[in-house]
Amino acid sequence: MDPLTVRSHFEVDYVHSYAQDTPFFHGLAQKKLLGSHCPKCAYRYATPRAHCLQCGGATQWFELPREGRVHSWTVCYFAAEEFLKEVPFTLVLVEFDGVDTLFLSR
């Protein structure tokens, strides 16, 4: 028996809000990379976080250092259909002095 296949066209307009991460993207537009800092427990995230994963406190923005170290990297040869034209691309984990987590970037 052949598998049942259903084909249908699906088109959706998405409305996307960056919500609490908006300052991160405004920072990028100003050539600044912003991380999140918890004033309650002093944990520092290299990525946007509205609340600390360690203590639950509200976080504040801080500018990440201009230089860091490559912690790990990989080359991706596969991607979702909308990103196939960008293959291959490199993913990198960056480690910053004084920051407790890593930053994932292309």
Side-chain angles (χ1 to χ4, degrees), residues 8 11 25 40 43 45-46 55 60 69 71 76 84 99 104:
S8 63
E11 187 174 323
F25 293 97
K40 189 173 173 184
Y43 203 83
Y45 298 91
C55 72
Q60 299 173 349
R69 291 173 301 286
H71 181 81
C76 298
L84 282 177
V99 181
L104 176 65

Side-chain angles (χ1 to χ4, degrees), residues 19-37:
Q20 73 271 5
D21 294 342
T22 295
F24 175 80
F25 293 97
H26 283 297
L28 290 178
Q30 298 171 356
K31 299 185 185 229
K32 295 180 180 180
L33 196 55
L34 300 178
S36 303
H37 163 77

Side-chain angles (χ1 to χ4, degrees), residues 9-25:
H9 177 72
F10 187 74
E11 187 174 323
V12 175
D13 290 328
Y14 289 98
V15 175
H16 183 80
S17 169
Y18 292 108
Q20 73 271 5
D21 294 342
T22 295
F24 175 80
F25 293 97

Side-chain angles (χ1 to χ4, degrees), residues 64-69 94-97:
L64 290 165
R66 287 258 185 212
E67 295 184 6
R69 291 173 301 286
V94 180
E95 185 177 351
F96 295 104
D97 285 337

Side-chain angles (χ1 to χ4, degrees), residues 61-79:
W61 295 101
F62 75 98
E63 191 170 349
L64 290 165
R66 287 258 185 212
E67 295 184 6
R69 291 173 301 286
V70 174
H71 181 81
S72 183
W73 61 274
T74 189
V75 178
C76 298
Y77 293 95
F78 300 95

